[in-house]
Amino acid sequence: MNTHDLIRELREKNDSKIVMLVADGLGGLPLAPGGLTELETAKTPNLDACAAAGTSGLSIPALPGITPGSGPGHLGLFGYDPLEFRIGRGILEALGINFAVGPNDVCIRGNFATLGADGKIVDRRAGRPTTERCIEVVEKLRSIKVSGAEVFVEPVKEHRCVLVFRALGLGDAVNDTDPQALGVPPLLAKGADSASEKTAAIVNEFITKAHGVLKTEAPMNGLTLRGFAKQPVIATMEDVYGLKSAAIAVYPMYKGLARLVGMDILDAGQTLQDQITRLKSVWNDYDFFFLHYKYTDSTGEDGNFPKKVEMIEELDAIVPEIRALKPGALIVTGDHSTPSKMKCHSWHPVPTMIVSDLCRTDGLTEFSERACLKGGLGQFMAKHLMLLAMAHAGRFGKYGA
Amino acid sequence: MNTHDLIRELREKNDSKIVMLVADGLGGLPLAPGGLTELETAKTPNLDACAAAGTSGLSIPALPGITPGSGPGHLGLFGYDPLEFRIGRGILEALGINFAVGPNDVCIRGNFATLGADGKIVDRRAGRPTTERCIEVVEKLRSIKVSGAEVFVEPVKEHRCVLVFRALGLGDAVNDTDPQALGVPPLLAKGADSASEKTAAIVNEFITKAHGVLKTEAPMNGLTLRGFAKQPVIATMEDVYGLKSAAIAVYPMYKGLARLVGMDILDAGQTLQDQITRLKSVWNDYDFFFLHYKYTDSTGEDGNFPKKVEMIEELDAIVPEIRALKPGALIVTGDHSTPSKMKCHSWHPVPTMIVSDLCRTDGLTEFSERACLKGGLGQFMAKHLMLLAMAHAGRFGKYGA
C-alpha cells in the first residue's frame, strides 16, 4: 500500500503543532579517527536537554552510502521518497533564485559561453563574467519572444542564468545543448516525445534569436542549456498529512523546496532570531513549521570546522525559545551531513531527535552522532521521519482493528 | 522476489520446534521522561536469562510511527506484510466471537439502532441494550431467509452483532449503511462492482425483513451495518513455511487470526498454566506454536501501570517451563506496544528476542526496551521475524550457490 494513502487514511486533526528544525548539513566527521565531530565538539546544553527528554537516532537521507543534494535531502524529510520524486537541475536552479515555478514550466540552467567565428565553443564559461555583466546581458535576452510559450530569463551568478518556458503541454525530455566539450558547436535541442519536441522547437527558436542578440556581447556570445526539468507532480503536505504548513527559511532554495510541497512561504527575515520571531507571530495559524538553518552546511562546505561548531552553538541558543512554545512534536535534524573534513555533502546518517510527551526516552543525555547511535529511533530512513512526527504529535489513528 | 516464494524455496524440514510467545501490547513507556517502562520495572529473572542466552532487538509492527490493531500486528509477526494483507473490520468482529469464517463469507458488523416513526435514526446504539437482550433479539433475526445466500447472525455485546452472508461470488466493496449521524435513515447498501452489487441486493433484502421483525422490539427496532469484509486470500503457515502450526490462545480474536493463516486452534483453557499444559501435551504434534498472552495489553489499555508490571512478572514465571521443552527457537515478542501511559496501542517498537543455540549473543543480561536497543537484532520490521525464527531453528537452506 502506498504510504501517502495510508497517511491520508490514518491522519487525525488536533491542535498539536509540529516543528521541524532542519540544520542543513548537520552531521559531521572527526578530523582524525577517534576524534570528535563538529556536533560533538560544540557545547549544546539545550539540544542535550532535548535529547534527555526525547528520542534520538540517525536518519539515512536516501539510501545507505548515497549523498543527497538539498532537493532529495529535504524531500525525504518532508516524507516524499527522494528516489521516487526527482527534482531536475533546472527546477533546482529556478528554486534557488526564488523563481515561483508553476506546473506548466520547463526550467533550464543556462550557461553563457564564448563561440568562435565558426560557431564552435571556445570557452564554456564565457571567461567567467561578473554577475553585473550577467544581469546586463540577461536583460537584453528578455526582449526575445518565441511562438507558443512565455519565456523568462533570470540571472544567477557569473556565467549562469535560468530559462523558464511556460506553456501547456511542454515536455522536459530534452537533451542538454551543452556538449560539455570545446571545439564543437552547441547541440540542437531534440525532444524524446511529442510534448518534448514541442519544447525543443521553442527552445531552438529562442537560441537562434539569442545568438543574434548576443552577437555583439563577446565573450558572452553563446548560450548553452542543461537540465531541462518540470517540477515533479507532488501532493501537498496539506493533502498528504492534513497539516497546514509554513516554511520559515532565509535562503531561496529552501523556500522553493517548501513551495514544491505546498507550504506557505513566510517572510523569515535574515537571522535565526528573525525566524523565531516569525514563528511566534504565526504560531496559531499553522500546524507544521519548517525552520531552515543554513550555516551548519555552508561552514561545512567551507571546511571550517571551528566555524561549524560555532554555528551549531548559535542554533543551540535559540532552542529554548522553540520549546517554550510547547510544540506537540519538535524535530531536530538535517537534510544530510556536511563534514568540514570533506568540504561537501556526504552520505553519513544525520543526528535526529524528536521531543514529545509520547517519546520513549532512551537514556541519552546529549545530542551527538555517537549518542544518537544508541538512541531509541535507531537508524531509520529519512522518508519515515514525518510518520514518526505525526505519531508523536498524536495525529494518527490506529491501522486496522 | 516475493518473500514467501523465497521462503518456499529455501525452507528445510527438521525436528526443531519454534515457539512464538506473544505478550500482547508488551512494549511500554516510562510515565515521566527518563523513567522506567513497565517491562523495565518488572522483575523478570527468566526473561533476563533468555536475553543472556539469546539475541534481542526491537520490532517495528508495520512502519515507523504506525500504530497497528491486533490484526495487522499479528499478521506481521506471522510473516505476512500487514500493509499488503488487510483484514477488514467485519472479519475481525467475526473472529472476535470465534465465528469460523470461510472463503465465501462476507462479514459485517451490525449495530442495533432506534428508528423514529419516520424511519430516521434516533439513537445509534438503541439505548445500549444488555447483552442478554442482544442475544434475544438476534435469535429472532435468525428466522430470516434471503434468496441466494446463507445468513448467520451472531450476538456480540450490548447493541453489537455480527452478520455473515455466505455464497459463492459475493463481493465486499459495499458502503456502510450506518450513516454515523442522527436524524437520517439508514443508507441503502450499494455495491461498487458486480460481485458487490450481488451482496448489496441480498443485504438490502435482509435489512427490509429485519426491520419487519424488529418493529415490535423498540428501542432495538433498527439495524445498521459497517465494515463489509471478506477474509484476505492468504497462504497458510504450512504452505509458506512448511510448518505444522498450532495456536494456543485463550481469547477468540487471536484464535481467529491464527485460523486465518491456517493454524490448528487448540483448546487452551483459561489460564497461562492451562496453555503450558496444552503446549506440553501436543509438543510432538506440531512444528510451530503460537502462544498468546492477553493481559499485558488489557492492563495497558486500562492505564494500570503496576498491574501491567504484575502481568509481565506472571508471564516471566512460566518461561522456564517452555525452555525446558527445548525449542529450537523460542521467540518472545508482542504484536505492538500498549503503554499504560497512553491507555491504547502505540507505534513504539516492541521488545523482542530469540533464544536458540544459533544465536549470536549480544552481551545483554536483561529483557527491556532499553536493553533491546543494544541488542543483536537491532530494530527490524516485524514481518521479518519469521525469517529469523526459521533461520535460528535451522530450517533454511542457503540462498544461491
Side-chain angles (χ1 to χ4, degrees), chain A residues 157-169:
Chain A
K157 210 176 165 183
E158 302 175 343
H159 62 287
R160 291 157 49 195
C161 63
V162 167
L163 277 76
V164 179
F165 293 86
R166 180 174 294 169
L168 278 174

Side-chain angles (χ1 to χ4, degrees), chain A residues 16-17 283 321-329:
Chain A
S16 183
K17 310 290 187 186
W283 187 248
E321 292 194 65
I322 301 175
R323 289 191 72 186
L325 293 167
K326 302 199 184 303

Side-chain angles (χ1 to χ4, degrees), chain A residues 1 3 6 9-10 52-53 357-363 374-378 384 387-388 391-392 396-401, chain B residues 27-30 33-34 63-72 82-83 86 89 92 337 341 345 347-349 369 373 379:
Chain A
M1 168 173 209
T3 308
L6 179 67
E9 184 183 321
L10 300 184
D357 285 346
L358 301 180
C359 279
R360 179 187 282 165
T361 47
D362 45 23
K374 300 175 191 154
L377 298 178
H384 291 148
L387 295 175
L388 290 163
H392 282 86
F396 272 150
K398 190 160 65 173
Y399 172 62
Chain B
L29 282 180
L63 271 181
I66 301 301
T67 297
S70 299
L83 299 177
R86 300 197 65 163
R89 164 164 290 275
L92 270 176
S337 293
K341 178 177 174 172
H345 293 195
W347 65 89
H348 300 89
E369 285 85 351
L373 268 180
Q379 299 208 25

Side-chain angles (χ1 to χ4, degrees), chain B residues 318-392:
Chain B
I318 58 89
V319 167
E321 292 193 64
I322 302 176
R323 289 191 73 186
L325 294 167
K326 301 198 181 307
L330 166 63
I331 296 148
V332 182
T333 187
D335 55 339
H336 52 77
S337 293
T338 305
S340 317
K341 178 177 174 172
M342 295 177 68
K343 298 186 184 181
C344 60
H345 293 195
S346 83
W347 65 89
H348 300 89
V350 184
T352 299
M353 61 184 165
I354 299 179
V355 189
S356 139
D357 285 347
L358 301 180
C359 278
R360 180 187 283 165
T361 48
D362 45 23
L364 299 189
T365 54
E366 67 170 71
F367 185 53
S368 71
E369 285 85 351
R370 230 170 285 203
C372 285
L373 268 180
K374 300 174 190 154
L377 299 177
Q379 299 208 25
F380 64 94
M381 302 304 288
K383 68 180 174 183
H384 292 149
L385 183 58
M386 276 300 298
L387 295 175
L388 291 163
M390 290 286 285
H392 281 87

Side-chain angles (χ1 to χ4, degrees), chain A residues 88-97 101 105-113 124-126 128-129 134 138 141 152-165 172 174-180 203 206-207 222-230 253:
Chain A
R89 162 164 291 275
I91 290 290
L92 269 177
E93 292 281 340
L95 298 181
I97 58 164
V101 178
D105 294 354
V106 173
C107 301
I108 314 163
R109 149 92 173 258
N111 288 329
F112 289 107
R124 291 182 53 236
R125 293 181 189 83
R128 284 208 185 265
C134 178
V138 159
L141 293 180
F152 303 85
V153 196
E154 301 290 340
V156 179
K157 210 176 165 183
E158 302 175 343
H159 62 287
R160 291 157 49 195
C161 63
V162 167
L163 277 76
V164 179
F165 293 86
D172 63 1
V174 178
N175 60 289
D176 294 349
T177 70
D178 182 351
Q180 304 218 22
V203 164
F206 178 86
I207 289 291
L223 184 62
T224 63
L225 306 180
R226 288 166 67 180
F228 286 70
K230 300 188 71 165
M253 170 77 83

